[in-house]
Amino acid sequence: MQHVRRRQVTALLAGALLTAGVALAAPASAASTTLVTNARWGGHCTYDRLVVDLQGAAPPVTVTPVSQLVYDGSGKPVPLPGKYFLEIRLHPAAAHDDAGHNVYVGPKLQQIALSKLKGIALTGDFEGYVTFGAAFDTPPTYNTSVLHSPERFVLDFPHPATC
């Protein structure tokens, strides 16, 4: 009798562990995906700032210098003037909700006349990646940070004092 009871307990524990493992291995639901809702910018005396507004926790972000900006998927060139470009990729993230409706209300393509930052573009929202491009006339240096309440990703582009 004790042998049968031990088998039942072992089977129950194995089932519980299997269920827990499946739950942990399941992909995150779309409800937990960070939504990218806006991009905005501002000029300051010693830096230009690009802010990406988020709904949800800030995902990992990569910022990469590229020789040209292209739209994800099509590969078509992004028509922003500039000699230097940065690609900014947020993953996992989306600029649309579960029903496919856009939640991003910011500019899709915008020329900007700041000291460093000359333009931005939303270049992709595909398979968990949201991508922006930023254009510059001179090689950009930058600092990144995440600010909270509300959640946002920030890129600062330092420049000589203009005030």
PDB file of all heavy atoms in Angstrom, residues 147-162:
ATOM      1  N   LEU A 147      14.058  56.567 -18.223  1.00  0.00           N
ATOM      2  CA  LEU A 147      13.385  57.353 -17.197  1.00  0.00           C
ATOM      3  C   LEU A 147      12.035  56.712 -16.902  1.00  0.00           C
ATOM      4  O   LEU A 147      11.449  56.049 -17.762  1.00  0.00           O
ATOM      5  CB  LEU A 147      13.220  58.802 -17.657  1.00  0.00           C
ATOM      6  CG  LEU A 147      14.528  59.536 -17.992  1.00  0.00           C
ATOM      7  CD1 LEU A 147      14.239  60.936 -18.509  1.00  0.00           C
ATOM      8  CD2 LEU A 147      15.444  59.586 -16.782  1.00  0.00           C
ATOM      9  N   HIS A 148      11.552  56.922 -15.699  1.00  0.00           N
ATOM     10  CA  HIS A 148      10.342  56.241 -15.246  1.00  0.00           C
ATOM     11  C   HIS A 148       9.252  57.237 -14.852  1.00  0.00           C
ATOM     12  O   HIS A 148       9.533  58.383 -14.550  1.00  0.00           O
ATOM     13  CB  HIS A 148      10.664  55.350 -14.047  1.00  0.00           C
ATOM     14  CG  HIS A 148      11.818  54.432 -14.308  1.00  0.00           C
ATOM     15  ND1 HIS A 148      11.721  53.311 -15.088  1.00  0.00           N
ATOM     16  CD2 HIS A 148      13.112  54.505 -13.927  1.00  0.00           C
ATOM     17  CE1 HIS A 148      12.904  52.716 -15.162  1.00  0.00           C
ATOM     18  NE2 HIS A 148      13.769  53.420 -14.470  1.00  0.00           N
ATOM     19  N   SER A 149       8.032  56.731 -14.819  1.00  0.00           N
ATOM     20  CA  SER A 149       6.840  57.482 -14.391  1.00  0.00           C
ATOM     21  C   SER A 149       6.626  58.753 -15.196  1.00  0.00           C
ATOM     22  O   SER A 149       6.726  59.842 -14.642  1.00  0.00           O
ATOM     23  CB  SER A 149       6.913  57.792 -12.895  1.00  0.00           C
ATOM     24  OG  SER A 149       6.920  56.606 -12.160  1.00  0.00           O
ATOM     25  N   PRO A 150       6.337  58.718 -16.448  1.00  0.00           N
ATOM     26  CA  PRO A 150       6.069  57.539 -17.274  1.00  0.00           C
ATOM     27  C   PRO A 150       7.366  56.946 -17.835  1.00  0.00           C
ATOM     28  O   PRO A 150       8.406  57.601 -17.876  1.00  0.00           O
ATOM     29  CB  PRO A 150       5.201  58.101 -18.396  1.00  0.00           C
ATOM     30  CG  PRO A 150       5.676  59.506 -18.562  1.00  0.00           C
ATOM     31  CD  PRO A 150       6.036  59.970 -17.173  1.00  0.00           C
ATOM     32  N   GLU A 151       7.264  55.715 -18.293  1.00  0.00           N
ATOM     33  CA  GLU A 151       8.410  54.974 -18.818  1.00  0.00           C
ATOM     34  C   GLU A 151       8.820  55.538 -20.172  1.00  0.00           C
ATOM     35  O   GLU A 151       7.988  55.756 -21.049  1.00  0.00           O
ATOM     36  CB  GLU A 151       8.020  53.497 -18.953  1.00  0.00           C
ATOM     37  CG  GLU A 151       9.177  52.559 -19.004  1.00  0.00           C
ATOM     38  CD  GLU A 151       9.821  52.294 -17.649  1.00  0.00           C
ATOM     39  OE1 GLU A 151       9.300  52.729 -16.616  1.00  0.00           O
ATOM     40  OE2 GLU A 151      10.873  51.650 -17.641  1.00  0.00           O
ATOM     41  N   ARG A 152      10.148  55.771 -20.342  1.00  0.00           N
ATOM     42  CA  ARG A 152      10.639  56.273 -21.623  1.00  0.00           C
ATOM     43  C   ARG A 152      12.124  55.990 -21.772  1.00  0.00           C
ATOM     44  O   ARG A 152      12.856  55.923 -20.793  1.00  0.00           O
ATOM     45  CB  ARG A 152      10.340  57.750 -21.785  1.00  0.00           C
ATOM     46  CG  ARG A 152      10.874  58.634 -20.709  1.00  0.00           C
ATOM     47  CD  ARG A 152       9.913  59.805 -20.448  1.00  0.00           C
ATOM     48  NE  ARG A 152      10.441  60.754 -19.501  1.00  0.00           N
ATOM     49  CZ  ARG A 152      10.305  60.653 -18.178  1.00  0.00           C
ATOM     50  NH1 ARG A 152       9.671  59.635 -17.652  1.00  0.00           N
ATOM     51  NH2 ARG A 152      10.805  61.568 -17.379  1.00  0.00           N
ATOM     52  N   PHE A 153      12.529  55.805 -23.026  1.00  0.00           N
ATOM     53  CA  PHE A 153      13.936  55.614 -23.386  1.00  0.00           C
ATOM     54  C   PHE A 153      14.445  56.940 -23.929  1.00  0.00           C
ATOM     55  O   PHE A 153      13.771  57.592 -24.730  1.00  0.00           O
ATOM     56  CB  PHE A 153      14.068  54.509 -24.445  1.00  0.00           C
ATOM     57  CG  PHE A 153      15.474  54.354 -24.938  1.00  0.00           C
ATOM     58  CD1 PHE A 153      16.428  53.744 -24.142  1.00  0.00           C
ATOM     59  CD2 PHE A 153      15.837  54.836 -26.176  1.00  0.00           C
ATOM     60  CE1 PHE A 153      17.743  53.619 -24.595  1.00  0.00           C
ATOM     61  CE2 PHE A 153      17.145  54.703 -26.629  1.00  0.00           C
ATOM     62  CZ  PHE A 153      18.092  54.095 -25.837  1.00  0.00           C
ATOM     63  N   VAL A 154      15.638  57.340 -23.486  1.00  0.00           N
ATOM     64  CA  VAL A 154      16.164  58.659 -23.823  1.00  0.00           C
ATOM     65  C   VAL A 154      17.547  58.539 -24.449  1.00  0.00           C
ATOM     66  O   VAL A 154      18.400  57.794 -23.967  1.00  0.00           O
ATOM     67  CB  VAL A 154      16.253  59.543 -22.554  1.00  0.00           C
ATOM     68  CG1 VAL A 154      16.889  60.888 -22.862  1.00  0.00           C
ATOM     69  CG2 VAL A 154      14.879  59.721 -21.928  1.00  0.00           C
ATOM     70  N   LEU A 155      17.749  59.306 -25.524  1.00  0.00           N
ATOM     71  CA  LEU A 155      19.065  59.462 -26.146  1.00  0.00           C
ATOM     72  C   LEU A 155      19.427  60.942 -26.087  1.00  0.00           C
ATOM     73  O   LEU A 155      18.662  61.783 -26.571  1.00  0.00           O
ATOM     74  CB  LEU A 155      19.023  59.037 -27.618  1.00  0.00           C
ATOM     75  CG  LEU A 155      19.167  57.558 -27.909  1.00  0.00           C
ATOM     76  CD1 LEU A 155      18.512  57.241 -29.247  1.00  0.00           C
ATOM     77  CD2 LEU A 155      20.624  57.190 -27.946  1.00  0.00           C
ATOM     78  N   ASP A 156      20.567  61.254 -25.502  1.00  0.00           N
ATOM     79  CA  ASP A 156      21.062  62.625 -25.467  1.00  0.00           C
ATOM     80  C   ASP A 156      22.276  62.723 -26.390  1.00  0.00           C
ATOM     81  O   ASP A 156      23.168  61.868 -26.345  1.00  0.00           O
ATOM     82  CB  ASP A 156      21.467  63.021 -24.048  1.00  0.00           C
ATOM     83  CG  ASP A 156      20.274  63.236 -23.135  1.00  0.00           C
ATOM     84  OD1 ASP A 156      19.187  63.618 -23.645  1.00  0.00           O
ATOM     85  OD2 ASP A 156      20.420  63.038 -21.918  1.00  0.00           O
ATOM     86  N   PHE A 157      22.302  63.784 -27.213  1.00  0.00           N
ATOM     87  CA  PHE A 157      23.379  64.025 -28.153  1.00  0.00           C
ATOM     88  C   PHE A 157      24.085  65.311 -27.737  1.00  0.00           C
ATOM     89  O   PHE A 157      23.603  66.402 -28.040  1.00  0.00           O
ATOM     90  CB  PHE A 157      22.822  64.140 -29.574  1.00  0.00           C
ATOM     91  CG  PHE A 157      21.958  62.976 -29.964  1.00  0.00           C
ATOM     92  CD1 PHE A 157      20.581  63.099 -29.969  1.00  0.00           C
ATOM     93  CD2 PHE A 157      22.513  61.760 -30.297  1.00  0.00           C
ATOM     94  CE1 PHE A 157      19.769  62.022 -30.316  1.00  0.00           C
ATOM     95  CE2 PHE A 157      21.711  60.671 -30.636  1.00  0.00           C
ATOM     96  CZ  PHE A 157      20.330  60.814 -30.651  1.00  0.00           C
ATOM     97  N   PRO A 158      25.220  65.210 -27.028  1.00  0.00           N
ATOM     98  CA  PRO A 158      25.889  66.427 -26.556  1.00  0.00           C
ATOM     99  C   PRO A 158      26.450  67.256 -27.711  1.00  0.00           C
ATOM    100  O   PRO A 158      26.808  66.731 -28.761  1.00  0.00           O
ATOM    101  CB  PRO A 158      27.012  65.901 -25.674  1.00  0.00           C
ATOM    102  CG  PRO A 158      27.086  64.438 -25.873  1.00  0.00           C
ATOM    103  CD  PRO A 158      25.897  63.993 -26.629  1.00  0.00           C
ATOM    104  N   HIS A 159      26.505  68.570 -27.483  1.00  0.00           N
ATOM    105  CA  HIS A 159      27.096  69.499 -28.451  1.00  0.00           C
ATOM    106  C   HIS A 159      27.621  70.712 -27.697  1.00  0.00           C
ATOM    107  O   HIS A 159      27.263  70.932 -26.524  1.00  0.00           O
ATOM    108  CB  HIS A 159      26.084  69.885 -29.536  1.00  0.00           C
ATOM    109  CG  HIS A 159      24.837  70.522 -29.032  1.00  0.00           C
ATOM    110  ND1 HIS A 159      24.786  71.791 -28.505  1.00  0.00           N
ATOM    111  CD2 HIS A 159      23.567  70.050 -28.957  1.00  0.00           C
ATOM    112  CE1 HIS A 159      23.550  72.087 -28.151  1.00  0.00           C
ATOM    113  NE2 HIS A 159      22.791  71.027 -28.402  1.00  0.00           N
ATOM    114  N   PRO A 160      28.456  71.539 -28.333  1.00  0.00           N
ATOM    115  CA  PRO A 160      28.942  72.748 -27.664  1.00  0.00           C
ATOM    116  C   PRO A 160      27.768  73.653 -27.266  1.00  0.00           C
ATOM    117  O   PRO A 160      26.734  73.666 -27.928  1.00  0.00           O
ATOM    118  CB  PRO A 160      29.807  73.425 -28.726  1.00  0.00           C
ATOM    119  CG  PRO A 160      30.216  72.315 -29.645  1.00  0.00           C
ATOM    120  CD  PRO A 160      29.060  71.349 -29.651  1.00  0.00           C
ATOM    121  N   ALA A 161      27.971  74.398 -26.186  1.00  0.00           N
ATOM    122  CA  ALA A 161      26.917  75.268 -25.648  1.00  0.00           C
ATOM    123  C   ALA A 161      26.431  76.257 -26.702  1.00  0.00           C
ATOM    124  O   ALA A 161      27.225  76.867 -27.420  1.00  0.00           O
ATOM    125  CB  ALA A 161      27.427  75.999 -24.429  1.00  0.00           C
ATOM    126  N   THR A 162      25.109  76.368 -26.787  1.00  0.00           N
ATOM    127  CA  THR A 162      24.486  77.295 -27.738  1.00  0.00           C
ATOM    128  C   THR A 162      23.701  78.391 -27.014  1.00  0.00           C
ATOM    129  O   THR A 162      23.106  79.233 -27.675  1.00  0.00           O
ATOM    130  CB  THR A 162      23.538  76.542 -28.687  1.00  0.00           C
ATOM    131  OG1 THR A 162      22.567  75.840 -27.902  1.00  0.00           O
ATOM    132  CG2 THR A 162      24.295  75.579 -29.567  1.00  0.00           C
TER     133      THR A 162
END
